[in-house]
Structure formats: structure tokens, C-alpha cells
Amino acid sequence: AEKVLGYDLLSLCLEGPRGELDRTRHCQPAVRLMFGLGCVSVQVVESCVAAAGYSVGEFAALVFAGALDFAEALYAVKVRAEAMQKASEAVPSGMLSVIGRREANYKFACLEARKHCESLGIENPVCEISNYLFPNSRVIAGHLQALEFLQENARKYYFTRAKMLPVSGAFHTRLMEPAVEPLAEVLKSIEIQKPLLCVYSNVDGKKYMHSKHIQKLLVKQVVSPVMWEQTMHSVYERKQGTEFPYTYEVGPGNQLGAILKKCNLKAWKQYKHVDALEDEEAAET
């Protein structure tokens, strides 16, 4: 990884500084790809039938499924992360985690937030849903002024929670368009195989069909909302009475398990979190 990235990733993860590790250009390859794949290696997965990765975690899922070579995927993530970091620095933007009541109309709220930005003189303001998490939970991303407007008017739009996320940009929106071409170019130079098992795309929540399909949607994913709630429905769709498979979340944190519980309680009962750090601590004790 150090050879591909051009910096000491292990030292950055272990020693920091934290501020550098949190930067998009370092966080994506370090936490989302390397750590996820590191956790996979400690779990028996011979009987695995499907995989999915959240945002950049989709690259880890594709490496695991044999569609992407590890070193090539890591280089693609490096290019993706650096391009997204640059795009995020061009416009003051961010992401807002929202939980709403049943009456909440997220798209209408975004529309009014864009109108507010226009009244401030902002041309072509961006405020749109960037992540579908679970019923009544969305992440909205765009110009900071739009997100601040939504926070101030949360009650009007039936939001019970509106919390800014600790990220530097409006990921998975059209503000990331400058990152599209660099990622598209590097993916053209990579050999992509048909996955050995089902991998689900963030773009539409459906299975990847072939290598060209993967190449196309990995690029589209940068500027498209993450359809994670829809993906959960696709992964666990089965006839009534059919048992649910075991589900393993690999990597730091168990946020995806919490989302699964909200989307499908029966599937969540077969869920387990695998964290490499926890395994190391257990081995030491």
C-alpha cells in the first residue's frame, strides 16, 4: 500500500496526526479500503454469496469478490480520494445527517434551501439527498448555506434531528463532478473481471452484471446518492419462510449493522461485526 500511495499509511494510521488521517485523500484508502479488507482476512468467508460496500467501501467489496486487483483498486481509490478532496476545497460545502418524521418531505426541503441560497446570490446552488440510509433517515449534502438553512428550519420540515457530519465536502452530489474524469481515466486502465459472487452497486441497489457495468457505475457513484436502504432490500429479498444468511460487517464501527436493524430486523438477527482491532486485543488477552 505504501508503494502505491506514496506515503507511510501504517504510520499515519497508528501515529497520526488525526487531522491528516481525517482528510478525504487519506481516509478513503486507509479506513475504507485497507481496514475493511484487513478485517475480511480474519473471518471465514468461503460460503459467502454476496457483498456490498458503502461508498468507497464498494471498492473493497469488489476486491473481495475478485473483480478488482488489490493494488489497482488502491490506486483508483487514491485518485478518487485526491480528486474528491480537491473538489471539496473548491466550494464551502458539507453533509447533514437528517432523521425525519413520516410527514417529512426531503426533496421539498432541499428545494427551499436552494431558493434560500439563490436569495444570497449563490449561483446554481446544490442541496440534495446524497445518502438513503433507512426509513426516515437521509443525508443531505450541498452548499453550507443550504445546510445551515435546513438546520435552522428543521421543525418546519418535520426533521427530528439535523446534525452536520465531520466531512469536508458534499460527497455524492454534482459538486463532485471535477472528480469524475480522473476516476474514469484510471478505471479505463484497470482490468476488471466479472465478480465471483454477487456485488451490489450503490447507484441503484442492484447486482453488477459485467466488467463494463462496474466501470460505468463506479464513476457514476461519485456524483450519485448512495442507495443503501434500497441495497438492503435487494440483498435480503427472499421468499417468505426462507432463512436469512449470516451477515458480517467488516471494518471500523458498526453503523451499517445499526442501519440493517432499521431496514430488516429479521436479517439483523444473523448479523455480526468483525473488527480487526478487537481481534488483536482478544488475541493479546
Side-chain angles (χ1 to χ4, degrees):
E2 184 178 342
K3 290 179 181 178
V4 174
L5 297 173
Y7 57 86
D8 190 343
L9 179 61
L10 180 60
S11 175
L12 183 61
C13 288
L14 296 177
E15 301 169 13
R18 178 63 183 265
E20 277 299 304
L21 186 57
D22 284 344
R23 286 169 64 85
T24 298
R25 66 188 300 265
H26 294 140
C27 183
Q28 288 192 26
V31 180
R32 304 304 176 191
L33 182 65
M34 292 293 297
F35 204 91
L37 287 171
C39 293
V40 167
S41 66
V42 302
Q43 181 63 50
V44 177
V45 287
E46 290 179 357
S47 60
C48 186
V49 294
Y54 186 91
S55 189
V56 73
E58 196 164 286
F59 283 83
L62 288 164
V63 171
F64 169 69
L68 296 176
D69 172 75
F70 167 73
E72 291 183 331
L74 183 58
Y75 180 70
V77 169
K78 176 181 184 288
V79 171
R80 179 187 190 271
E82 290 175 350
M84 290 175 72
Q85 177 77 45
K86 188 175 181 180
S88 68
E89 291 170 353
V91 178
S93 57
M95 303 180 82
L96 184 72
S97 176
V98 175
I99 294 179
R101 290 160 53 184
R102 288 188 178 182
E103 305 95 316
N105 186 328
Y106 305 97
K107 291 185 178 179
F108 176 71
C110 289
L111 174 63
E112 294 217 321
R114 290 195 296 271
K115 288 181 178 178
H116 169 72
C117 286
E118 289 172 350
S119 72
L120 299 177
I122 299 173
E123 295 183 7
N124 300 316
V126 173
C127 183
E128 55 197 58
I129 298 171
S130 64
N131 298 255
Y132 291 81
L133 301 178
F134 55 85
N136 301 318
S137 178
R138 306 283 185 269
V139 174
I140 295 173
H143 281 81
L144 282 180
Q145 295 90 333
L147 304 183
E148 289 164 357
F149 171 83
L150 292 178
Q151 278 190 301
E152 292 167 4
N153 294 276
R155 292 183 66 182
K156 174 183 176 182
Y157 300 114
Y158 302 102
F159 296 163
T160 57
R161 190 189 79 175
K163 182 180 179 182
M164 289 296 294
L165 296 177
V167 296
S168 58
F171 306 135
H172 301 289
T173 71
R174 57 187 174 87
L175 285 177
M176 291 294 111
E177 282 180 358
V180 166
E181 189 174 342
L183 179 59
E185 286 301 311
V186 74
L187 287 175
K188 287 178 184 177
S189 66
I190 289 176
E191 186 176 357
I192 303 175
Q193 306 288 340
K194 183 178 179 180
L196 299 175
L197 49 90
C198 296
V199 179
Y200 290 79
S201 168
N202 285 185
V203 173
D204 56 13
K206 298 177 181 179
K207 300 173 188 176
Y208 279 118
M209 303 306 294
H210 47 75
S211 59
K212 288 291 184 183
H213 193 208
I214 294 171
Q215 181 181 326
K216 178 182 178 182
L217 293 192
L218 281 180
V219 174
K220 190 175 180 180
Q221 188 225 60
V222 172
V223 291
S224 301
V226 174
M227 310 292 276
W228 194 255
E229 180 183 346
Q230 295 83 343
T231 300
M232 292 297 93
H233 293 315
S234 296
V235 170
Y236 298 103
E237 184 179 11
R238 59 218 335 102
K239 293 180 181 178
Q240 191 170 357
T242 305
E243 289 188 4
F244 286 95
Y246 288 102
T247 298
Y248 298 95
E249 177 179 359
V250 294
N254 57 1
Q255 295 93 334
L256 299 183
I259 292 173
L260 175 59
K261 188 176 182 180
K262 298 280 188 180
C263 291
N264 192 320
L265 183 60
K266 289 183 178 179
W268 175 80
K269 290 179 179 179
Q270 300 280 59
Y271 161 88
K272 181 181 178 182
H273 175 229
V274 182
D275 190 324
L277 295 181
E278 291 175 2
D279 285 298
E280 286 180 9
E281 290 169 3
E284 290 172 0
T285 56

